[in-house]
Amino acid sequence: MRWVIDVRRLAAIDLWGLHGRPLRRRLITLEFALGIVLPMVLGSVCLTARAPFTRVVGAWLVGIALNYVPLAFQAFRLSRHGALEAELAGVDTRSELRRYSRRQFVIVIPLALLVMSFLRPSHP
């Protein structure tokens, strides 16, 4: 299944960026956490609206929030000392960053990354 994204690798590459700086790791982890909370709250509010379109937008936002759950989970797993470096050992991070930068737009498809995290289980 070539279209399935390795969520652990996506999180690792996003955390590493070009240089693997600790500040970037913290900011990306915060982004993943806020990517759960903010759309979930806004989506939940929209789901209580009467207008059908607003409810659809609410469901879409909740689906996006759920996409960030496996990313945040992997970011926390990779935050252990040496885990990120071990995940990316021997990997051409520049080419992987280009590859995953294009593919990460799948986040806007509700539940896509959540489903992919089960189709392609991450290794320990």
Side-chain angles (χ1 to χ4, degrees), residues 5 7-10 23 27-28 39 41 43 49-51 53 60 65 89 99 101 103-104 112-113 119-120:
I5 293 174
V7 177
R8 181 176 175 92
R9 180 60 58 90
L10 171 60
L23 178 60
L27 289 175
I28 296 299
V41 168
R50 291 182 186 252
F53 178 75
W60 178 69
R99 181 172 161 244
S101 291
R103 298 182 80 197
Q104 72 181 343
L113 283 180
L119 291 176
R120 187 173 193 170

Side-chain angles (χ1 to χ4, degrees), residues 42-43 45-61:
L42 186 57
V45 169
C46 289
L47 284 172
T48 64
R50 291 182 186 252
F53 178 75
T54 306
R55 285 184 172 179
V56 168
V57 169
W60 178 69
L61 287 169

Side-chain angles (χ1 to χ4, degrees), residues 52-80:
F53 178 75
T54 306
R55 285 184 172 179
V56 168
V57 169
W60 178 69
L61 287 169
V62 169
I64 288 174
L66 292 174
N67 276 338
Y68 277 96
V69 171
L71 288 171
F73 175 73
Q74 293 302 333
F76 288 119
R77 287 182 72 192
L78 291 166
S79 69
R80 293 188 320 253

Side-chain angles (χ1 to χ4, degrees), residues 91-110:
V91 172
D92 179 3
T93 56
R94 282 193 185 273
S95 72
E96 288 286 294
L97 188 59
R98 280 192 302 274
R99 181 172 161 244
Y100 278 104
S101 291
R102 290 189 303 266
R103 298 182 80 197
Q104 72 181 343
F105 289 104
V106 75
I107 290 172
V108 300
I109 302 170

